[in-house]
Amino acid sequence: MLKIHDNYSLKDNTTFGVNIAAAWYAEPTTAEALVFAITHARERNWKYYITGEGSNLLFTGDFEGLIIHPLVKGITVVDDAATEVLVKAGAGENWDRFVAHCVEQQWYGAENLSLIPGSVGAAPVQNIGAYGVEAKDIIAWVEVINTKNMQPEVISNTACGFGYRDSIFKHGEPGKYIVTAVVFSLKKNAPLLLDYGNVKELFIQRGTQDLHNLRETIIDIRNSKLPDPCETGNAGSFFKNPVIAANEFEILRSRYAAAPNYPTGTGRVKIPAAWLIETAGWKGKREGDVGTWPKQPLVIVNYGNATGRQIFDFSEKIRLDILEQFGITLDREVTLIS
Ligand code: EPU
């Protein structure tokens, strides 16, 4: 029997650590219990929302519905071939524990995604990415419940519509599919991907050039730049890096010759949002208990008792300022729930 909690504090359920409450809360541990939770909400006309570990969510007020936090666990080998392995992980597994397991087993592919907060189930939704790798590069298929008919379905990598921090689980009909497990295709041997920023230099300094040391290098880089959500509330990058047209970039470059830029190969140019935010004077700025992280201003932090609304208002000031100063609109990476 699934326990449904009333008036449940979500303070420890999001990495922003804001003190808000859900009218109801449940943690189903099987696909069947997940179906039960949704049906329970629908029969009562409650709104419901599915969360992972809350590492990409900002609630701006109490949630007058049922929060469902699936805790479907388990990591199993589905197929073990000569050069690659198919590994299935339950949506409720912690992402970094899954990466650590892959590295211990000498399975290549997930190591650059070390230490990203959140659950396995959130990885395809958000198409999480870091240091030159995205979840889409290693996902074989995603197992879901289709909430139209409450039946299990398998969605192949190509059918997931993956984009930059995007997938069909986010766009299209959000909420149609609920991820119960993800199957990853990992290699038993593969070249290590070292081309992002100073990864290669720091990796070489570490000595032994193996999978384990690459994971440790990524962990060191993340720890040196990004706040630990266990100590300072945050949800990673608050905004996406904007992608602008080539002619807009020329205008930007005429004003800021040193503007960092990454051509996307489609005639458009990606500009680091962190650079825009720093150049606009917001790096390390703090208002009450909300601020931008001094070492990476794309991360907005809760220094203690900030409310979701205060974090949102602060983020909107940044957005407006970037629009005024550069004519560039920043899109949120964080999902807002109001
Ligand atoms: N930059 C600045 N000032 C700063 C920091 C960075 O101007 O204080 C500029 C520099 O030009 C730097 C560039 O921003 O070269 C890129 O910085 P960084 O390598 O830290 O990456 P990012 O683009 O800001 C993205 C992801 C991160 C991921 C890193 C590393 C997005 C929205 N964010 O950040 O993902 O860890 O790359 O791959 O794409 C997340 O999604 O929550 C997240 C943390």
Side-chain angles (χ1 to χ4, degrees):
M1 186 58 188
L2 179 66
K3 169 114 179 90
I4 311 259
H5 303 264
D6 291 337
N7 192 23
Y8 190 88
S9 167
L10 296 174
K11 188 159 174 37
D12 297 330
N13 286 71
T14 69
T15 55
F16 257 127
V18 291
N19 195 10
I20 37 98
W24 301 280
Y25 177 82
E27 289 184 339
T29 54
T30 61
E32 293 71 28
L34 173 61
V35 168
F36 172 85
I38 295 170
T39 311
H40 186 86
R42 285 183 173 170
E43 284 169 357
R44 287 159 182 77
N45 278 325
W46 296 349
K47 66 175 175 175
Y48 64 88
Y49 190 83
I50 313 287
T51 67
E53 294 182 18
S55 59
N56 205 48
L57 292 183
L58 179 62
F59 285 90
T60 53
D62 288 345
F63 187 76
E64 299 302 329
L66 172 64
I67 292 291
I68 303 173
H69 178 195
L71 284 178
V72 184
K73 299 275 190 177
I75 300 178
T76 50
V77 173
V78 176
D79 188 45
D80 192 352
T83 57
E84 75 175 24
V85 64
L86 285 177
V87 186
K88 177 165 160 171
E93 286 289 340
N94 170 268
W95 174 261
D96 192 53
R97 272 204 294 276
F98 169 70
V99 176
H101 180 74
C102 296
V103 169
E104 273 160 31
Q105 299 295 317
Q106 289 288 310
W107 298 330
Y108 290 67
E111 57 282 357
N112 289 38
L113 303 176
S114 289
L115 211 63
I116 294 183
S119 63
V120 164
V125 177
Q126 188 61 11
N127 185 22
I128 57 172
Y131 306 103
V133 174
E134 286 182 321
K136 73 169 172 53
D137 303 331
I138 53 169
I139 289 175
W141 69 81
V142 179
E143 298 186 0
V144 299
I145 297 290
N146 181 338
T147 59
K148 296 265 175 202
N149 56 15
M150 290 298 181
Q151 293 302 308
E153 262 179 49
V154 168
I155 307 198
S156 69
N157 177 302
T158 46
C160 287
F162 287 127
Y164 169 51
R165 296 296 191 278
D166 198 20
S167 71
I168 53 156
F169 309 111
K170 267 180 96 175
H171 67 243
E173 291 178 80
K176 179 176 174 190
Y177 298 117
I178 297 169
V179 177
T180 52
V182 184
V183 176
F184 298 90
S185 169
L186 301 164
K187 301 269 187 284
K188 292 198 176 166
N189 203 348
L192 299 173
L193 299 174
L194 307 171
D195 288 341
Y196 189 100
N198 60 348
V199 171
K200 191 181 217 159
E201 187 190 330
L202 296 176
F203 176 65
I204 288 168
Q205 280 170 19
R206 271 195 159 263
T208 327
Q209 294 184 17
D210 61 10
L211 205 50
H212 173 79
N213 260 344
L214 179 50
R215 171 169 162 78
E216 293 303 318
T217 303
I218 299 290
I219 289 175
D220 282 353
I221 297 174
R222 289 189 73 94
N223 281 337
S224 70
K225 288 190 176 174
L226 298 168
D228 176 354
C230 296
E231 285 166 19
T232 313
N234 75 90
S237 302
F238 197 92
F239 301 104
K240 294 187 195 182
N241 289 321
V243 178
I244 62 175
N247 61 329
E248 288 176 274
F249 174 61
E250 285 316 318
I251 296 168
L252 183 71
R253 187 149 61 179
S254 66
R255 288 173 54 208
Y256 301 92
N261 59 93
Y262 304 92
T264 61
T266 54
R268 297 172 70 80
V269 184
K270 192 182 263 193
I271 309 294
W275 178 81
L276 294 168
I277 296 170
E278 177 171 354
T279 308
W282 285 92
K283 184 167 176 167
K285 254 204 179 166
R286 179 170 173 172
E287 290 182 2
D289 268 354
V290 192
T292 54
W293 189 241
K295 293 180 196 156
Q296 175 37 297
L298 187 48
V299 179
I300 295 181
V301 295
N302 174 5
Y303 281 107
N305 294 313
T307 64
R309 175 50 61 177
Q310 286 166 338
I311 295 170
F312 172 72
D313 289 346
F314 182 81
S315 75
E316 285 295 286
K317 281 191 207 169
I318 296 178
R319 229 152 77 97
L320 202 66
D321 212 18
I322 299 298
L323 185 61
E324 276 174 8
Q325 293 200 38
F326 302 97
I328 294 176
T329 303
L330 291 181
D331 289 333
R332 272 186 295 277
E333 185 192 309
V334 164
T335 301
L336 203 68
I337 304 179
S338 44

mmCIF file of all heavy atoms in Angstrom, residues 168-206:
data_model
loop_
_atom_site.group_PDB
_atom_site.id
_atom_site.type_symbol
_atom_site.label_atom_id
_atom_site.label_comp_id
_atom_site.label_asym_id
_atom_site.label_seq_id
_atom_site.Cartn_x
_atom_site.Cartn_y
_atom_site.Cartn_z
ATOM 1 N N ILE A 168 11.631 15.113 -25.626
ATOM 2 C CA ILE A 168 10.157 15.083 -25.698
ATOM 3 C C ILE A 168 9.523 15.017 -24.310
ATOM 4 O O ILE A 168 8.349 15.285 -24.153
ATOM 5 C CB ILE A 168 9.605 13.887 -26.513
ATOM 6 C CG1 ILE A 168 10.183 12.561 -26.007
ATOM 7 C CG2 ILE A 168 9.766 14.051 -27.994
ATOM 8 C CD1 ILE A 168 9.285 11.387 -26.341
ATOM 9 N N PHE A 169 10.324 14.637 -23.313
ATOM 10 C CA PHE A 169 9.749 14.567 -21.960
ATOM 11 C C PHE A 169 9.521 15.974 -21.398
ATOM 12 O O PHE A 169 8.804 16.154 -20.433
ATOM 13 C CB PHE A 169 10.667 13.763 -21.025
ATOM 14 C CG PHE A 169 11.039 12.439 -21.627
ATOM 15 C CD1 PHE A 169 12.341 12.183 -22.046
ATOM 16 C CD2 PHE A 169 10.072 11.466 -21.831
ATOM 17 C CE1 PHE A 169 12.674 10.969 -22.628
ATOM 18 C CE2 PHE A 169 10.397 10.247 -22.416
ATOM 19 C CZ PHE A 169 11.701 9.995 -22.827
ATOM 20 N N LYS A 170 10.196 16.976 -22.004
ATOM 21 C CA LYS A 170 10.032 18.369 -21.564
ATOM 22 C C LYS A 170 9.124 19.134 -22.506
ATOM 23 O O LYS A 170 8.250 19.859 -22.081
ATOM 24 C CB LYS A 170 11.393 19.079 -21.555
ATOM 25 C CG LYS A 170 12.098 19.044 -20.237
ATOM 26 C CD LYS A 170 13.417 19.776 -20.323
ATOM 27 C CE LYS A 170 13.321 21.192 -19.845
ATOM 28 N NZ LYS A 170 14.649 21.844 -19.838
ATOM 29 N N HIS A 171 9.391 19.005 -23.823
ATOM 30 C CA HIS A 171 8.558 19.759 -24.758
ATOM 31 C C HIS A 171 7.451 18.838 -25.281
ATOM 32 O O HIS A 171 7.313 17.716 -24.852
ATOM 33 C CB HIS A 171 9.412 20.369 -25.880
ATOM 34 C CG HIS A 171 10.039 19.364 -26.806
ATOM 35 N ND1 HIS A 171 11.391 19.219 -26.938
ATOM 36 C CD2 HIS A 171 9.498 18.452 -27.630
ATOM 37 C CE1 HIS A 171 11.638 18.265 -27.821
ATOM 38 N NE2 HIS A 171 10.522 17.787 -28.257
ATOM 39 N N GLY A 172 6.678 19.308 -26.216
ATOM 40 C CA GLY A 172 5.587 18.463 -26.720
ATOM 41 C C GLY A 172 4.490 18.391 -25.675
ATOM 42 O O GLY A 172 3.871 19.395 -25.359
ATOM 43 N N GLU A 173 4.319 17.226 -25.111
ATOM 44 C CA GLU A 173 3.272 17.080 -24.087
ATOM 45 C C GLU A 173 3.923 16.742 -22.754
ATOM 46 O O GLU A 173 4.015 15.561 -22.398
ATOM 47 C CB GLU A 173 2.329 15.938 -24.466
ATOM 48 C CG GLU A 173 1.466 16.204 -25.658
ATOM 49 C CD GLU A 173 0.603 14.972 -25.972
ATOM 50 O OE1 GLU A 173 -0.427 14.793 -25.299
ATOM 51 O OE2 GLU A 173 0.984 14.199 -26.850
ATOM 52 N N PRO A 174 4.412 17.743 -22.022
ATOM 53 C CA PRO A 174 5.070 17.431 -20.754
ATOM 54 C C PRO A 174 4.103 16.667 -19.844
ATOM 55 O O PRO A 174 2.922 16.983 -19.802
ATOM 56 C CB PRO A 174 5.414 18.805 -20.167
ATOM 57 C CG PRO A 174 5.010 19.827 -21.157
ATOM 58 C CD PRO A 174 4.237 19.179 -22.259
ATOM 59 N N GLY A 175 4.604 15.662 -19.177
ATOM 60 C CA GLY A 175 3.735 14.892 -18.275
ATOM 61 C C GLY A 175 3.111 13.680 -18.946
ATOM 62 O O GLY A 175 2.534 12.831 -18.276
ATOM 63 N N LYS A 176 3.233 13.585 -20.283
ATOM 64 C CA LYS A 176 2.632 12.420 -20.949
ATOM 65 C C LYS A 176 3.369 11.141 -20.544
ATOM 66 O O LYS A 176 2.761 10.110 -20.290
ATOM 67 C CB LYS A 176 2.701 12.607 -22.464
ATOM 68 C CG LYS A 176 2.117 11.421 -23.234
ATOM 69 C CD LYS A 176 2.114 11.659 -24.724
ATOM 70 C CE LYS A 176 1.684 10.427 -25.482
ATOM 71 N NZ LYS A 176 1.886 10.540 -26.921
ATOM 72 N N TYR A 177 4.699 11.233 -20.512
ATOM 73 C CA TYR A 177 5.501 10.060 -20.167
ATOM 74 C C TYR A 177 6.168 10.254 -18.812
ATOM 75 O O TYR A 177 6.720 11.316 -18.536
ATOM 76 C CB TYR A 177 6.621 9.859 -21.185
ATOM 77 C CG TYR A 177 6.133 9.596 -22.590
ATOM 78 C CD1 TYR A 177 6.435 10.486 -23.620
ATOM 79 C CD2 TYR A 177 5.386 8.465 -22.887
ATOM 80 C CE1 TYR A 177 5.998 10.250 -24.914
ATOM 81 C CE2 TYR A 177 4.950 8.225 -24.179
ATOM 82 C CZ TYR A 177 5.260 9.115 -25.187
ATOM 83 O OH TYR A 177 4.823 8.882 -26.453
ATOM 84 N N ILE A 178 6.167 9.211 -18.015
ATOM 85 C CA ILE A 178 6.911 9.251 -16.758
ATOM 86 C C ILE A 178 7.985 8.182 -16.833
ATOM 87 O O ILE A 178 7.694 7.000 -17.076
ATOM 88 C CB ILE A 178 5.978 9.022 -15.565
ATOM 89 C CG1 ILE A 178 4.972 10.185 -15.561
ATOM 90 C CG2 ILE A 178 6.745 8.975 -14.266
ATOM 91 C CD1 ILE A 178 3.836 9.980 -14.625
ATOM 92 N N VAL A 179 9.213 8.594 -16.635
ATOM 93 C CA VAL A 179 10.348 7.675 -16.782
ATOM 94 C C VAL A 179 10.390 6.724 -15.584
ATOM 95 O O VAL A 179 10.350 7.162 -14.430
ATOM 96 C CB VAL A 179 11.671 8.482 -16.866
ATOM 97 C CG1 VAL A 179 12.864 7.551 -16.957
ATOM 98 C CG2 VAL A 179 11.639 9.460 -18.038
ATOM 99 N N THR A 180 10.481 5.430 -15.873
ATOM 100 C CA THR A 180 10.626 4.452 -14.782
ATOM 101 C C THR A 180 12.046 3.860 -14.759
ATOM 102 O O THR A 180 12.528 3.447 -13.710
ATOM 103 C CB THR A 180 9.596 3.316 -14.907
ATOM 104 O OG1 THR A 180 9.674 2.774 -16.229
ATOM 105 C CG2 THR A 180 8.196 3.823 -14.657
ATOM 106 N N ALA A 181 12.685 3.787 -15.936
ATOM 107 C CA ALA A 181 14.063 3.262 -16.001
ATOM 108 C C ALA A 181 14.732 3.782 -17.273
ATOM 109 O O ALA A 181 14.051 4.179 -18.225
ATOM 110 C CB ALA A 181 14.053 1.736 -16.004
ATOM 111 N N VAL A 182 16.050 3.782 -17.263
ATOM 112 C CA VAL A 182 16.814 4.202 -18.446
ATOM 113 C C VAL A 182 17.824 3.102 -18.743
ATOM 114 O O VAL A 182 18.455 2.564 -17.822
ATOM 115 C CB VAL A 182 17.545 5.541 -18.195
ATOM 116 C CG1 VAL A 182 18.247 6.009 -19.469
ATOM 117 C CG2 VAL A 182 16.587 6.613 -17.700
ATOM 118 N N VAL A 183 17.951 2.751 -20.028
ATOM 119 C CA VAL A 183 18.939 1.748 -20.429
ATOM 120 C C VAL A 183 20.065 2.458 -21.167
ATOM 121 O O VAL A 183 19.824 3.217 -22.121
ATOM 122 C CB VAL A 183 18.298 0.642 -21.282
ATOM 123 C CG1 VAL A 183 19.358 -0.340 -21.767
ATOM 124 C CG2 VAL A 183 17.242 -0.092 -20.448
ATOM 125 N N PHE A 184 21.279 2.244 -20.688
ATOM 126 C CA PHE A 184 22.456 2.928 -21.225
ATOM 127 C C PHE A 184 23.309 1.940 -22.004
ATOM 128 O O PHE A 184 23.435 0.768 -21.622
ATOM 129 C CB PHE A 184 23.305 3.500 -20.084
ATOM 130 C CG PHE A 184 22.571 4.532 -19.281
ATOM 131 C CD1 PHE A 184 21.809 4.172 -18.174
ATOM 132 C CD2 PHE A 184 22.618 5.875 -19.637
ATOM 133 C CE1 PHE A 184 21.109 5.120 -17.443
ATOM 134 C CE2 PHE A 184 21.926 6.836 -18.907
ATOM 135 C CZ PHE A 184 21.175 6.452 -17.805
ATOM 136 N N SER A 185 23.912 2.434 -23.080
ATOM 137 C CA SER A 185 24.837 1.632 -23.865
ATOM 138 C C SER A 185 26.252 2.143 -23.559
ATOM 139 O O SER A 185 26.595 3.282 -23.899
ATOM 140 C CB SER A 185 24.488 1.828 -25.345
ATOM 141 O OG SER A 185 25.500 1.287 -26.119
ATOM 142 N N LEU A 186 27.026 1.309 -22.873
ATOM 143 C CA LEU A 186 28.362 1.735 -22.435
ATOM 144 C C LEU A 186 29.413 0.824 -23.060
ATOM 145 O O LEU A 186 29.151 -0.356 -23.315
ATOM 146 C CB LEU A 186 28.427 1.690 -20.909
ATOM 147 C CG LEU A 186 27.384 2.597 -20.243
ATOM 148 C CD1 LEU A 186 27.209 2.235 -18.779
ATOM 149 C CD2 LEU A 186 27.746 4.064 -20.391
ATOM 150 N N LYS A 187 30.592 1.398 -23.296
ATOM 151 C CA LYS A 187 31.642 0.642 -23.991
ATOM 152 C C LYS A 187 32.591 -0.015 -22.978
ATOM 153 O O LYS A 187 32.811 0.515 -21.894
ATOM 154 C CB LYS A 187 32.458 1.595 -24.872
ATOM 155 C CG LYS A 187 31.633 2.318 -25.930
ATOM 156 C CD LYS A 187 31.614 1.514 -27.215
ATOM 157 C CE LYS A 187 30.951 2.251 -28.359
ATOM 158 N NZ LYS A 187 29.474 2.283 -28.294
ATOM 159 N N LYS A 188 33.168 -1.146 -23.390
ATOM 160 C CA LYS A 188 34.143 -1.792 -22.506
ATOM 161 C C LYS A 188 35.523 -1.188 -22.676
ATOM 162 O O LYS A 188 36.426 -1.407 -21.870
ATOM 163 C CB LYS A 188 34.153 -3.288 -22.759
ATOM 164 C CG LYS A 188 32.839 -3.925 -22.306
ATOM 165 C CD LYS A 188 32.943 -5.391 -22.141
ATOM 166 C CE LYS A 188 31.652 -5.945 -21.591
ATOM 167 N NZ LYS A 188 31.594 -7.395 -21.729
ATOM 168 N N ASN A 189 35.683 -0.460 -23.782
ATOM 169 C CA ASN A 189 36.913 0.306 -23.989
ATOM 170 C C ASN A 189 36.580 1.423 -24.969
ATOM 171 O O ASN A 189 35.831 1.188 -25.908
ATOM 172 C CB ASN A 189 38.016 -0.581 -24.555
ATOM 173 C CG ASN A 189 39.390 -0.007 -24.258
ATOM 174 O OD1 ASN A 189 39.494 1.155 -23.832
ATOM 175 N ND2 ASN A 189 40.423 -0.791 -24.472
ATOM 176 N N ALA A 190 37.120 2.604 -24.736
ATOM 177 C CA ALA A 190 36.818 3.726 -25.643
ATOM 178 C C ALA A 190 37.798 4.846 -25.342
ATOM 179 O O ALA A 190 38.337 4.924 -24.230
ATOM 180 C CB ALA A 190 35.391 4.204 -25.417
ATOM 181 N N PRO A 191 38.037 5.735 -26.319
ATOM 182 C CA PRO A 191 38.905 6.868 -26.039
ATOM 183 C C PRO A 191 38.259 7.769 -24.981
ATOM 184 O O PRO A 191 37.030 7.932 -24.986
ATOM 185 C CB PRO A 191 39.002 7.611 -27.383
ATOM 186 C CG PRO A 191 38.232 6.815 -28.366
ATOM 187 C CD PRO A 191 37.489 5.727 -27.671
ATOM 188 N N LEU A 192 39.068 8.320 -24.091
ATOM 189 C CA LEU A 192 38.527 9.236 -23.082
ATOM 190 C C LEU A 192 38.304 10.598 -23.735
ATOM 191 O O LEU A 192 39.076 11.006 -24.605
ATOM 192 C CB LEU A 192 39.510 9.357 -21.919
ATOM 193 C CG LEU A 192 39.783 8.037 -21.187
ATOM 194 C CD1 LEU A 192 40.883 8.195 -20.160
ATOM 195 C CD2 LEU A 192 38.501 7.523 -20.512
ATOM 196 N N LEU A 193 37.247 11.289 -23.349
ATOM 197 C CA LEU A 193 36.920 12.588 -23.969
ATOM 198 C C LEU A 193 37.458 13.710 -23.075
ATOM 199 O O LEU A 193 36.936 13.952 -21.989
ATOM 200 C CB LEU A 193 35.408 12.699 -24.163
ATOM 201 C CG LEU A 193 34.834 11.611 -25.089
ATOM 202 C CD1 LEU A 193 33.325 11.668 -25.146
ATOM 203 C CD2 LEU A 193 35.427 11.727 -26.495
ATOM 204 N N LEU A 194 38.514 14.357 -23.578
ATOM 205 C CA LEU A 194 39.263 15.302 -22.735
ATOM 206 C C LEU A 194 39.279 16.710 -23.303
ATOM 207 O O LEU A 194 40.014 17.572 -22.809
ATOM 208 C CB LEU A 194 40.723 14.814 -22.619
ATOM 209 C CG LEU A 194 40.925 13.371 -22.163
ATOM 210 C CD1 LEU A 194 42.384 12.956 -22.313
ATOM 211 C CD2 LEU A 194 40.485 13.204 -20.710
ATOM 212 N N ASP A 195 38.472 16.962 -24.352
ATOM 213 C CA ASP A 195 38.655 18.202 -25.097
ATOM 214 C C ASP A 195 37.999 19.436 -24.504
ATOM 215 O O ASP A 195 38.178 20.530 -25.019
ATOM 216 C CB ASP A 195 38.158 18.028 -26.547
ATOM 217 C CG ASP A 195 39.118 17.152 -27.329
ATOM 218 O OD1 ASP A 195 40.268 17.022 -26.884
ATOM 219 O OD2 ASP A 195 38.683 16.571 -28.350
ATOM 220 N N TYR A 196 37.192 19.296 -23.443
ATOM 221 C CA TYR A 196 36.484 20.457 -22.903
ATOM 222 C C TYR A 196 37.387 21.231 -21.942
ATOM 223 O O TYR A 196 37.938 20.665 -20.986
ATOM 224 C CB TYR A 196 35.226 20.006 -22.160
ATOM 225 C CG TYR A 196 34.314 21.142 -21.741
ATOM 226 C CD1 TYR A 196 33.188 21.464 -22.482
ATOM 227 C CD2 TYR A 196 34.600 21.907 -20.616
ATOM 228 C CE1 TYR A 196 32.364 22.514 -22.105
ATOM 229 C CE2 TYR A 196 33.782 22.961 -20.229
ATOM 230 C CZ TYR A 196 32.657 23.250 -20.987
ATOM 231 O OH TYR A 196 31.842 24.291 -20.604
ATOM 232 N N GLY A 197 37.530 22.548 -22.189
ATOM 233 C CA GLY A 197 38.256 23.436 -21.270
ATOM 234 C C GLY A 197 39.610 22.875 -20.883
ATOM 235 O O GLY A 197 40.389 22.449 -21.730
ATOM 236 N N ASN A 198 39.894 22.866 -19.565
ATOM 237 C CA ASN A 198 41.212 22.405 -19.093
ATOM 238 C C ASN A 198 41.187 20.958 -18.588
ATOM 239 O O ASN A 198 42.046 20.550 -17.798
ATOM 240 C CB ASN A 198 41.752 23.340 -18.002
ATOM 241 C CG ASN A 198 40.829 23.395 -16.804
ATOM 242 O OD1 ASN A 198 39.695 22.921 -16.860
ATOM 243 N ND2 ASN A 198 41.308 23.972 -15.718
ATOM 244 N N VAL A 199 40.220 20.161 -19.051
ATOM 245 C CA VAL A 199 40.092 18.777 -18.580
ATOM 246 C C VAL A 199 41.392 18.008 -18.848
ATOM 247 O O VAL A 199 41.936 17.342 -17.951
ATOM 248 C CB VAL A 199 38.884 18.063 -19.245
ATOM 249 C CG1 VAL A 199 38.893 16.572 -18.931
ATOM 250 C CG2 VAL A 199 37.574 18.694 -18.790
ATOM 251 N N LYS A 200 41.906 18.127 -20.075
ATOM 252 C CA LYS A 200 43.069 17.323 -20.464
ATOM 253 C C LYS A 200 44.290 17.636 -19.576
ATOM 254 O O LYS A 200 44.927 16.723 -19.032
ATOM 255 C CB LYS A 200 43.415 17.615 -21.924
ATOM 256 C CG LYS A 200 44.420 16.659 -22.517
ATOM 257 C CD LYS A 200 44.688 17.054 -23.941
ATOM 258 C CE LYS A 200 44.870 15.859 -24.831
ATOM 259 N NZ LYS A 200 44.652 16.177 -26.229
ATOM 260 N N GLU A 201 44.519 18.940 -19.410
ATOM 261 C CA GLU A 201 45.676 19.386 -18.626
ATOM 262 C C GLU A 201 45.613 18.839 -17.186
ATOM 263 O O GLU A 201 46.578 18.261 -16.672
ATOM 264 C CB GLU A 201 45.599 20.919 -18.611
ATOM 265 C CG GLU A 201 46.736 21.660 -18.007
ATOM 266 C CD GLU A 201 46.334 23.143 -17.870
ATOM 267 O OE1 GLU A 201 45.521 23.640 -18.692
ATOM 268 O OE2 GLU A 201 46.814 23.752 -16.922
ATOM 269 N N LEU A 202 44.444 18.958 -16.560
ATOM 270 C CA LEU A 202 44.312 18.503 -15.171
ATOM 271 C C LEU A 202 44.361 16.980 -15.083
ATOM 272 O O LEU A 202 44.900 16.418 -14.122
ATOM 273 C CB LEU A 202 43.006 19.028 -14.570
ATOM 274 C CG LEU A 202 42.936 20.553 -14.469
ATOM 275 C CD1 LEU A 202 41.574 20.998 -13.966
ATOM 276 C CD2 LEU A 202 44.022 21.091 -13.537
ATOM 277 N N PHE A 203 43.846 16.324 -16.094
ATOM 278 C CA PHE A 203 43.846 14.857 -16.127
ATOM 279 C C PHE A 203 45.283 14.340 -16.219
ATOM 280 O O PHE A 203 45.676 13.428 -15.468
ATOM 281 C CB PHE A 203 43.016 14.409 -17.340
ATOM 282 C CG PHE A 203 42.986 12.921 -17.569
ATOM 283 C CD1 PHE A 203 42.402 12.063 -16.651
ATOM 284 C CD2 PHE A 203 43.520 12.384 -18.728
ATOM 285 C CE1 PHE A 203 42.360 10.695 -16.875
ATOM 286 C CE2 PHE A 203 43.484 11.026 -18.961
ATOM 287 C CZ PHE A 203 42.906 10.169 -18.029
ATOM 288 N N ILE A 204 46.049 14.965 -17.087
ATOM 289 C CA ILE A 204 47.445 14.524 -17.267
ATOM 290 C C ILE A 204 48.231 14.726 -15.965
ATOM 291 O O ILE A 204 48.997 13.864 -15.542
ATOM 292 C CB ILE A 204 48.089 15.240 -18.478
ATOM 293 C CG1 ILE A 204 47.470 14.674 -19.761
ATOM 294 C CG2 ILE A 204 49.609 15.088 -18.493
ATOM 295 C CD1 ILE A 204 47.774 15.430 -21.020
ATOM 296 N N GLN A 205 47.961 15.859 -15.296
ATOM 297 C CA GLN A 205 48.654 16.127 -14.026
ATOM 298 C C GLN A 205 48.358 15.062 -12.968
ATOM 299 O O GLN A 205 49.126 14.851 -12.044
ATOM 300 C CB GLN A 205 48.188 17.469 -13.451
ATOM 301 C CG GLN A 205 48.851 18.667 -14.096
ATOM 302 C CD GLN A 205 48.169 19.966 -13.654
ATOM 303 O OE1 GLN A 205 47.472 20.014 -12.648
ATOM 304 N NE2 GLN A 205 48.396 21.023 -14.423
ATOM 305 N N ARG A 206 47.222 14.402 -13.090
ATOM 306 C CA ARG A 206 46.820 13.407 -12.088
ATOM 307 C C ARG A 206 47.611 12.114 -12.162
ATOM 308 O O ARG A 206 47.523 11.290 -11.259
ATOM 309 C CB ARG A 206 45.339 13.055 -12.278
ATOM 310 C CG ARG A 206 44.456 13.950 -11.506
ATOM 311 C CD ARG A 206 43.075 13.374 -11.408
ATOM 312 N NE ARG A 206 42.450 13.997 -10.274
ATOM 313 C CZ ARG A 206 42.379 13.468 -9.061
ATOM 314 N NH1 ARG A 206 42.851 12.269 -8.856
ATOM 315 N NH2 ARG A 206 41.836 14.121 -8.084
#
